């Protein structure tokens, strides 16, 4: 039985080899069709490489220094522990730490506000959104549609004039840009964050990359220092109010003294307004002194809580360009077309058999 099974295996292997030779001979007989398909594929690949626009990538890198999040010795110890892979917590107070900051760059709010940034193109000031629309040639198709014909994206951070159509267009632009926007640390050992923006328009990649970094930086600083700025504004308002009261009290003392000049010593009751004003001056002076002290301390706290965003490298023209090469298009087009034709020929022959 073993010999019989072995004989059956040898017969099946011979049949497989014979079938392979038969298919190979069949493909050789169809070489004209395969060569023609390869030629057509090469032409199509070359055409694609010529028509496809090159992609320009703008890169901006920056370092973030937050004095408040350092935490002194504790912050250093936590940083040392995290470098060895241990998560000891302690960083819950920083809402923009790690991946949160990365997601902030990719958030729709930041991207939309960046798209409303004014830029100068061909001696005209337009928004980045309008620049994107013109580069994509969307307006050529909108001319026949009254719903989109009069849509404008002015360089104005106020979205109150936006309609549902504006939001839908912004949604499409955001989805397209989110695919070509990369934010993160290229080296996990460093704290340098890089922003990569890719598009077919070199100037748009550069302008959008710089505007996005500036927009996120302003939002980050404003959010981190919101409490400190509110506290300082309240103290400043109170200081100004007490200073006004003190000035009024000083003026009142002077007026009361003028009214009691050369007054008969027997009429001391006439000196009461001057005495009351003098008490107001002393009280307001003490309050103002403390408020000025607290205001200066609030200013110091605000400076400490204000993070430093230091840009290291900015995108410089000409940007890095990536294009689909002609040789690559010819080789890939020819190979894919020939491969598909070979599969089709073999499939047709198998179907007939």
């Amino acid at each position: 039985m073993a010999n019989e099974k072995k004989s059956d295996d040898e017969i099946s292997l011979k049949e497989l080899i014979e079938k392979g030779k038969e298919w190979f001979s069949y493909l050789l007989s169809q070489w004209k069709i395969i060569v023609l398909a390869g030629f057509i594929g090469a032409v199509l690949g070359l055409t694609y490489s010529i028509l496809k626009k090159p992609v320009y990538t703008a890169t901006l890198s920056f370092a973030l220094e937050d004095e408040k999040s350092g935490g002194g010795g504790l912050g250093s110890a936590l940083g040392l522990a995290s470098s060895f892979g241990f998560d000891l917590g302690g960083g819950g107070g920083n809402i923009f730490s790690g991946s949160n900051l990365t997601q902030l760059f990719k958030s729709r709010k930041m991207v939309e506000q960046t798209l409303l940034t004014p830029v100068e193109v061909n001696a005209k000031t337009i928004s980045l959104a309008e620049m994107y629309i013109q580069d994509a040639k969307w307006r050529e198709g909108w001319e026949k549609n009254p719903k989109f014909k009069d849509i404008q994206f002015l360089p104005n951070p106020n979205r109150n004039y936006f309609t549902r159509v504006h939001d839908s267009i912004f949604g499409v632009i955001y989805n397209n840009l989110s695919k070509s926007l990369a934010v993160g640390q290229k080296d996990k050992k460093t704290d340098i964050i890089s922003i990569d923006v890719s598009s077919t328009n070199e100037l748009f990649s550069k302008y959008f990359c710089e505007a996005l970094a500036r927009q996120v930086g302003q939002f980050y600083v404003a959010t981190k220092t919101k409490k400190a700025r509110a506290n300082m504004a309240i103290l400043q308002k109170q200081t100004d109010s007490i200073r006004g009261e003190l000035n009024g009290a000083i003026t009142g003392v002077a007026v009361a003294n003028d009214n009691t000049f050369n007054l008969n010593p027997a009429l001391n009751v006439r000196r009461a307004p001057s005495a009351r004003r003098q008490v107001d001056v002393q009280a307001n002076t003490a309050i103002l002194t403390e408020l000025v002290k607290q205001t200066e301390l609030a200013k110091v706290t605000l400076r400490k809580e204000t993070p430093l965003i230091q840009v290291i490298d900015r995108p410089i023209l000409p940007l890095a360009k990536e294009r689909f090469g002609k040789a690559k298009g010819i080789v890939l087009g020819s190979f894919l077309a020939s491969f598909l034709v070979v599969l089709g020929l073999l499939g047709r022959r198998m179907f007939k058999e």
Side-chain angles (χ1 to χ4, degrees), residues 115-126:
L115 287 171
L116 295 176
T117 302
V119 292
E120 187 172 347
V121 179
N122 298 328
K124 292 177 60 178
T125 301
I126 60 176

Side-chain angles (χ1 to χ4, degrees), residues 118-244:
V119 292
E120 187 172 347
V121 179
N122 298 328
K124 292 177 60 178
T125 301
I126 60 176
S127 65
L128 279 171
E130 186 66 30
M131 185 178 180
Y132 182 91
I133 292 171
Q134 292 179 5
D135 184 64
K137 298 181 180 180
W138 288 355
R139 292 205 174 276
E140 296 178 1
W142 292 353
E143 290 297 329
K144 300 178 182 179
N145 191 339
K147 184 178 179 181
F148 296 95
K149 185 177 181 180
D150 298 328
I151 290 293
Q152 297 291 332
F153 290 89
L154 303 177
N156 184 0
N158 187 4
R159 297 182 78 258
N160 293 334
Y161 71 93
F162 275 17
T163 62
R164 184 183 180 91
V165 179
H166 286 89
D167 292 334
S168 63
I169 296 174
F170 252 151
V172 175
I173 297 177
Y174 171 73
N175 291 332
N176 294 339
L177 288 177
S178 60
K179 300 176 183 177
S180 58
L181 174 62
V183 182
Q185 297 174 245
K186 294 184 176 180
D187 189 352
K188 297 299 181 181
K189 297 180 181 179
T190 64
D191 293 331
I192 298 177
I193 301 175
S194 297
I195 311 171
D196 294 333
V197 178
S198 301
S199 73
T200 57
N201 189 319
E202 186 177 26
L203 288 178
F204 179 83
S205 296
K206 180 179 185 299
Y207 292 158
F208 184 83
C209 184
E210 294 176 338
L212 179 63
R214 183 168 56 251
Q215 184 68 41
V216 174
Q218 293 174 354
F219 179 80
Y220 179 81
V221 172
T223 304
K224 291 283 290 183
T225 60
K226 185 175 182 179
K227 291 183 179 180
R229 284 186 292 106
N231 182 47
M232 191 184 71
I234 294 174
L235 288 173
Q236 189 65 52
K237 184 177 181 180
Q238 291 177 343
T239 301
D240 295 339
S241 176
I242 293 299
R243 183 176 283 111

Side-chain angles (χ1 to χ4, degrees), residues 35-82:
V35 171
L36 179 61
F39 177 76
I40 295 175
V43 173
L44 293 177
L46 177 62
T47 304
Y48 177 78
S49 64
I50 294 175
L51 296 179
K52 183 175 176 57
K53 295 181 179 180
V55 176
Y56 298 92
T57 302
T59 302
L60 184 145
S61 60
F62 66 92
L64 178 64
E65 180 185 2
D66 192 348
E67 183 177 345
K68 184 180 179 182
S69 63
L74 179 59
S76 301
L78 293 175
L80 181 61
S82 62

